[in-house]
Amino acid sequence: MANHLTPTELAREAGLDRRDVIMKCLEMGVPIYNGRIDRTLFSASLDDRYQVTASPTPLATG
């Protein structure tokens, strides 16, 4: 399985539009080299950028 994909191939895998993949790469600083994008880097950057975090639970003191 290839790790460097074209924007079209990556869009198909991620369930996004090709333009969205390119725009997200530009936003997140994921390089597009020779028309290919590193799938692992794109996925990790996407997860990191759009991760929903729960607010911390206050600790009980007493």
Side-chain angles (χ1 to χ4, degrees), residues 30-45:
V30 175
I32 302 172
Y33 185 70
N34 288 336
R36 303 260 177 191
I37 303 164
D38 184 313
R39 173 198 343 223
T40 306
L41 181 59
F42 180 79
S43 177
S45 297

Side-chain angles (χ1 to χ4, degrees), residues 7-43:
T8 303
E9 294 168 334
L10 193 55
R12 197 174 308 131
E13 278 198 8
L16 298 170
D17 186 54
R18 181 182 178 274
R19 286 180 179 244
D20 291 335
V21 169
I22 295 169
M23 291 302 296
K24 290 193 184 312
C25 284
L26 293 174
E27 289 173 12
M28 298 183 298
V30 175
I32 302 172
Y33 185 70
N34 288 336
R36 303 260 177 191
I37 303 164
D38 184 313
R39 173 198 343 223
T40 306
L41 181 59
F42 180 79
S43 177

Side-chain angles (χ1 to χ4, degrees), residues 24 27-29 44-52:
K24 290 193 184 312
E27 289 173 12
M28 298 183 298
S45 297
L46 197 62
D47 289 344
D48 188 48
R49 180 161 180 127
Y50 296 103
Q51 182 179 23
V52 178

